[in-house]
Amino acid sequence: MGAYAQHDIAEEQRWQQHDAQVGKDEWIRDRADELQAKWPEELTRLYNPFQHTSLPGLRSEAAQDAYAEMVDKICLAQAEVDWQNKEWLGKDWTP
């Protein structure tokens, strides 16, 4: 086997790894988006109306941004776990 053939094989393997990583990243992002859809969009929706005191800063833009970031991180972490379970249980597994 010539040097060019070995180089082509190595290059093809790198592209396959790249494509597999891109597919994994897309699956995880899609799954995280599915999970995020189950959360309330606004932080104020988590407010307990039976609680007699108001939480300070709950309605601020900074609080909403922090809430959105927290939900995104939680959903991404769960999507990673789902991906690992998907690989463990088989390709057809759907949570």
Side-chain angles (χ1 to χ4, degrees):
M1 183 180 293
Y4 291 113
Q6 289 176 347
H7 173 57
D8 290 344
I9 291 170
E11 185 68 19
E12 180 63 29
Q13 289 174 343
R14 280 192 290 273
W15 276 108
Q16 288 174 355
Q17 289 173 344
H18 171 75
D19 292 344
Q21 184 64 45
V22 168
K24 174 185 174 186
D25 292 346
E26 287 176 359
W27 190 95
I28 289 173
R29 179 77 275 182
D30 291 345
R31 178 69 179 139
D33 290 343
E34 287 175 24
L35 295 171
Q36 246 177 334
K38 297 177 183 180
W39 284 74
E41 286 186 30
E42 297 178 6
L43 176 60
T44 55
R45 301 285 302 228
L46 294 178
Y47 174 71
N48 184 351
F50 300 107
Q51 188 176 4
H52 297 292
T53 59
S54 173
L55 297 174
L58 187 65
R59 288 178 165 53
S60 72
E61 191 173 319
Q64 180 62 37
D65 291 345
Y67 169 73
E69 185 178 336
M70 177 197 71
V71 169
D72 188 54
K73 287 181 179 184
I74 290 170
C75 292
L76 278 173
Q78 183 59 49
E80 287 276 351
V81 169
D82 291 349
W83 174 264
Q84 291 170 357
N85 290 338
K86 175 182 177 281
E87 287 188 331
W88 177 256
L89 295 173
K91 301 292 184 199
D92 296 332
W93 180 75
T94 304

